[in-house]
Amino acid sequence: MAEESRLADTSTPKYWRRAIDIGKDARKERVKNSNRLLQRYDLDYKDAIKGLDRVVRVSRFYPTVRAIIASTSFHYPRVFLRVEDDGAELSSTLLEKVANDCIQMMGVKEHVQQAIFDALFYGVGWLKIGYNPVGDDSIAPYVSNDSMRDDFPYVRRIPAQNLITDPITPPHILGEGRYIIEEQWLPWEFLRKDERYKNRRQIRPTSISDDDTDLLRIKIPGEEGDEELQSFKDSIEHGQMVRVWEIHDRLHRKLYAMADGVDGFIRDEPHPFLRQEAVTIPDPITGEPLMTGDFEDGQGYLVSEGFQYIPIK
């Protein structure tokens, strides 16, 4: 008798830890190749030339990379709007100016350029869009909050190696992916006080083992005695950083977070970028809809393709 199949429970930490493990294995080869290219970019060659004590290396790779980035994104990205309604041409000009001013206020150019750099070496760069609240109610990773404006949208470059995408996602349609998982390093000092997270008493700083070196993206996996790698590991431990996996479940419209060493979720809630519709009532005199100030769940997301992440290819 055939074994009865059961639906996977996507609301359990066990399901998502397995997804993280699958993603880790899938990205290893790409990370390894990316690091080899970065070594060539940095002229970091270990091979010595017989008979020469001092070698002056001149890179042809470096100027090519810088020329590509400069030619692709030298100025700020620009938004062009076209309003098709008659008599609204003036509003399109105004909205276009506001949009482009916002892009400069958010400092998008530097993030786009770094994402292009990532795409050259990793195959894809990533930008994350979101909203930064007012005052101390800052978003993770907290330490970057000073570079963002309060009560304003933000655009941030996310290291390509820190993102795990659904392996069956088509390369040209991100919106068909089931999930995206972002690996974050957050300071324990702030994380344990953030009331948006639960199980905070169980959260402890992450200790990096030698098995994690290939995932820290400093040098080629398996290389021993690397001072830069050791410095990074020491910095993580000295700064009492916690590795957190932020999970965006598009299909079930959920946001989860898990921390190393914690059995359950430290965050489990409806996704904050779900679309909502304003509740209206008819005006008793004119019949025109009036907003009540309440909202109800709508269809889809506020962000394109259901994710806060934009791929740069």
Side-chain angles (χ1 to χ4, degrees), residues 122-149:
Y122 196 75
V124 60
W126 291 97
L127 298 173
K128 183 178 184 179
I129 58 176
Y131 166 74
N132 187 43
V134 178
D136 294 333
D137 191 23
S138 59
I139 62 165
Y142 310 101
V143 292
S144 67
N145 192 52
D146 292 339
S147 64
M148 305 176 190
R149 290 180 175 267

Side-chain angles (χ1 to χ4, degrees), residues 231-298:
S231 296
F232 188 86
K233 292 170 62 177
D234 291 344
S235 179
I236 289 292
E237 294 173 358
H238 179 261
Q240 295 186 308
M241 306 296 284
V242 181
R243 179 158 54 184
V244 172
W245 302 93
E246 185 178 88
I247 303 161
H248 300 258
D249 182 359
R250 184 188 65 83
L251 290 185
H252 303 96
R253 301 156 65 92
K254 298 278 287 185
L255 176 68
Y256 302 106
M258 298 190 302
D260 285 357
V262 179
D263 294 332
F265 293 120
I266 61 173
R267 197 170 185 181
D268 178 357
E269 60 191 48
H271 201 282
F273 278 80
L274 292 177
R275 184 179 297 278
Q276 292 189 319
E277 305 292 343
V279 177
T280 61
I281 58 174
D283 187 295
I285 299 176
T286 65
E288 294 292 328
L290 298 175
M291 296 184 63
T292 64
D294 297 326
F295 294 86
E296 59 185 7
D297 291 341

Side-chain angles (χ1 to χ4, degrees), residues 1-285:
M1 183 175 178
E3 184 178 350
E4 183 180 357
S5 298
R6 296 183 180 180
L7 286 174
D9 187 356
T10 61
S11 64
T12 63
K14 180 180 178 181
Y15 176 89
W16 291 110
R17 292 201 183 279
R18 176 57 181 153
I20 290 170
D21 289 340
I22 293 172
K24 285 181 178 180
D25 291 338
R27 72 181 180 182
K28 280 184 177 180
E29 190 63 29
R30 177 173 284 192
V31 168
K32 185 175 181 178
N33 292 334
S34 171
N35 286 332
R36 283 177 174 157
L37 289 175
L38 284 170
Q39 279 193 316
R40 284 156 176 75
Y41 177 80
D42 292 333
L43 293 176
D44 186 8
Y45 294 98
K46 302 298 182 183
D47 297 334
I49 300 177
K50 187 176 181 181
L52 292 177
D53 297 329
R54 183 173 180 271
V55 178
V56 178
R57 296 186 173 95
V58 178
S59 175
R60 291 192 295 177
F61 195 20
Y62 180 89
T64 301
V65 170
R66 306 316 298 182
I68 291 173
I69 295 175
S71 61
T72 306
S73 179
F74 180 76
H75 297 292
Y76 271 97
R78 184 164 182 82
V79 175
F80 296 92
L81 300 178
R82 184 181 65 182
V83 178
E84 296 180 350
D85 296 339
D86 293 337
E89 291 79 6
L90 180 61
S91 62
S92 67
T93 303
L94 178 61
L95 291 173
E96 185 175 302
K97 178 173 176 52
V98 170
N100 286 291
D101 285 348
C102 288
I103 286 177
Q104 293 197 37
M105 291 171 65
M106 290 187 290
V108 173
K109 181 174 71 172
E110 291 76 9
H111 293 277
V112 170
Q113 289 179 339
Q114 186 59 48
I116 294 172
F117 183 90
D118 293 340
L120 288 172
F121 289 89
Y122 196 75
V124 60
W126 291 97
L127 298 173
K128 183 178 184 179
I129 58 176
Y131 166 74
N132 187 43
V134 178
D136 294 333
D137 191 23
S138 59
I139 62 165
Y142 310 101
V143 292
S144 67
N145 192 52
D146 292 339
S147 64
M148 305 176 190
R149 290 180 175 267
D150 284 355
D151 192 22
F152 207 74
Y154 69 81
V155 175
R156 291 176 52 231
R157 168 259 182 184
I158 302 297
Q161 302 91 331
N162 284 17
L163 234 59
I164 293 176
T165 56
D166 180 4
I168 63 175
T169 304
H172 60 299
I173 307 177
L174 182 65
E176 292 188 8
R178 296 170 296 171
Y179 59 81
I180 286 181
I181 303 173
E182 181 187 346
E183 178 184 0
Q184 302 176 337
W185 289 95
L186 308 182
W188 182 49
E189 173 187 359
F190 296 97
L191 185 60
R192 64 177 183 166
K193 298 177 183 178
D194 193 332
E195 295 184 355
R196 288 167 292 189
Y197 294 93
K198 56 184 182 179
N199 296 323
R200 297 194 302 275
R201 291 181 178 272
Q202 300 180 34
I203 299 175
R204 293 291 184 271
T206 298
S207 178
I208 303 175
S209 67
D210 291 338
D211 294 337
D212 293 323
T213 56
D214 59 329
L215 303 180
L216 295 177
R217 283 81 59 191
I218 301 301
K219 291 294 177 184
I220 295 176
E223 199 166 346
E224 300 294 338
D226 189 276
E227 294 180 359
E228 188 178 359
L229 173 59
Q230 187 61 46
S231 296
F232 188 86
K233 292 170 62 177
D234 291 344
S235 179
I236 289 292
E237 294 173 358
H238 179 261
Q240 295 186 308
M241 306 296 284
V242 181
R243 179 158 54 184
V244 172
W245 302 93
E246 185 178 88
I247 303 161
H248 300 258
D249 182 359
R250 184 188 65 83
L251 290 185
H252 303 96
R253 301 156 65 92
K254 298 278 287 185
L255 176 68
Y256 302 106
M258 298 190 302
D260 285 357
V262 179
D263 294 332
F265 293 120
I266 61 173
R267 197 170 185 181
D268 178 357
E269 60 191 48
H271 201 282
F273 278 80
L274 292 177
R275 184 179 297 278
Q276 292 189 319
E277 305 292 343
V279 177
T280 61
I281 58 174
D283 187 295
I285 299 176

